[in-house]
Amino acid sequence: MSRRPLVLPIAALVLALAGCASTGVAPPVAPAAPPVAAVPAHDNLNATLWLQRSSEAHAVQRQTWRSAERLLDAALADPAWDALAPQDRVAPADGRPAAVIVDVDETVLDNSRYQARLILDGGRFADPTWNAWVDEGRATAVAGAPAFARAAAARGVTMIYLTNREHGKSVVTRANLEAVGFPPVGEAQFLGLGMDTPGCVPKGSDKGCRRQWVAQRYRVLMQFGDQLGDFVSIPDNSPAARDALLGGFDAWVGQRWFVLPNPTYGSWEPALYGNDRSLSDEAQRAAKRAQLQR
Ligand SMILES: [Mg+2]
């Protein structure tokens, strides 16, 4: 960054003051800067703006979906190509129709407007406000995702929307998807939180039982998500254990598993403060600061 030389302005000021002294006229007084209203801090401001307003975020999203699309034909042609972890591949993939599993929020639908509300209103995530947002059906598309969905549909590949939105949000979510450019989504393609998975009892919001439901019906070419738990169950949600878990599937990243960027929330964050969501904002912030590496 260049800086303007100070010589001329200072020289001009000296001349002006000299002029004032010689004439006896008081020098002009600069007007006081208007007061700036206090702006409340929010831990999610930069992350939300990055997702919502940066070209870079949208480029990464398109890059991810386009990279996957370029591999679709190879995945279809290779009968051994399957994207489910061994613990979820509970039935052979051979001979089953091809599918792709996608998470919904921050993978194919962008909810940054909900995050923006929390920032502007000073709130925290809560089920009532979240469910109200989902019911509005105003989420936008993650860049590149509708084009991939159309490419998959053109090849006869079924998109499975495996989400932790409540299973009862199927109708409104499918309408939201179609409104922002996704091909029609059938009811059987929506696997929400709380759906019936005979023979498998889910632990909380873990998606393993629903992946196994898919395993019994499809060969899964690819998985897409913004959180590690979208791809495989996480037995230990600590940063080191998460890295070790992902390391076991490293060869699949960018080939069978595609991760969308989401700096605004996710299980990576509570992993930084011992998964204790009862902590105050201040206590969470202190724990997170302690995790910084310098
Ligand atoms: Mg998500």
Side-chain angles (χ1 to χ4, degrees):
M1 180 186 295
S2 64
R3 291 177 183 272
R4 296 176 62 190
L6 295 173
V7 176
L8 287 178
I10 291 174
L13 181 62
V14 169
L15 287 174
L17 290 173
C20 292
S22 64
T23 60
V25 177
V29 177
V36 178
V39 178
H42 197 290
D43 293 337
N44 228 354
L45 177 62
N46 266 14
T48 300
L49 283 171
W50 186 78
L51 266 189
Q52 195 169 62
R53 308 292 288 181
S54 79
S55 303
E56 289 81 355
H58 306 150
V60 172
Q61 292 163 345
R62 289 193 188 92
Q63 178 176 287
T64 303
W65 288 107
R66 288 175 183 168
S67 298
E69 184 178 337
R70 282 192 283 271
L71 291 172
L72 259 183
D73 289 329
L76 266 171
D78 180 356
W81 187 305
D82 185 68
L84 286 181
Q87 56 266 46
D88 290 327
R89 176 43 72 196
V90 293
D94 297 355
R96 300 188 191 278
V100 164
I101 294 177
V102 298
D103 168 54
V104 171
D105 297 309
E106 278 50 72
T107 297
V108 296
L109 287 181
D110 176 332
N111 303 285
S112 58
R113 289 170 187 240
Y114 172 74
Q115 300 294 333
R117 279 184 195 175
L118 298 182
I119 294 169
L120 295 171
D121 299 342
R124 298 179 72 171
F125 176 90
D127 286 337
T129 57
W130 168 252
N131 284 323
W133 161 256
V134 169
D135 286 341
E136 289 178 35
R138 291 183 57 231
T140 55
V142 168
F148 177 89
R150 290 192 292 271
R155 291 165 171 80
V157 176
T158 299
M159 289 270 281
I160 298 292
Y161 295 84
L162 205 168
T163 172
N164 277 341
R165 290 186 173 204
E166 293 174 9
H167 198 53
K169 298 298 183 187
S170 173
V171 172
V172 68
T173 302
R174 290 186 286 125
N176 193 159
L177 287 163
E178 292 177 28
V180 295
F182 288 84
V185 182
E187 188 172 356
Q189 291 171 256
F190 184 87
L191 312 188
L193 182 63
M195 74 169 276
D196 190 25
T197 50
C200 188
V201 179
K203 296 175 185 170
S205 59
D206 179 72
K207 293 180 168 180
C209 285
R210 283 172 283 165
R211 278 190 291 267
Q212 293 171 28
W213 185 95
V214 177
Q216 292 163 349
R217 291 159 178 81
Y218 295 99
R219 176 164 72 93
V220 178
L221 305 183
M222 299 170 180
Q223 295 199 83
F224 296 81
D226 65 299
Q227 300 191 36
L228 183 57
D230 293 329
F231 303 87
V232 64
S233 299
I234 304 173
D236 174 4
N237 195 44
S238 66
R242 290 164 57 87
D243 275 347
L245 179 63
L246 182 61
F249 297 93
D250 184 58
W252 286 7
V253 175
Q255 193 222 32
R256 302 184 193 191
W257 291 7
F258 295 86
V259 185
L260 280 299
N262 180 9
T264 63
Y265 67 88
S267 55
W268 60 271
E269 191 209 9
L272 299 174
Y273 53 79
N275 304 294
D276 184 357
R277 294 180 187 273
S278 70
L279 293 176
S280 66
D281 285 350
E282 289 72 21
Q284 290 180 14
R285 194 175 302 128
K288 286 189 280 189
R289 285 176 62 91
Q291 295 273 346
L292 285 170
Q293 298 169 319
R294 65 159 116 203

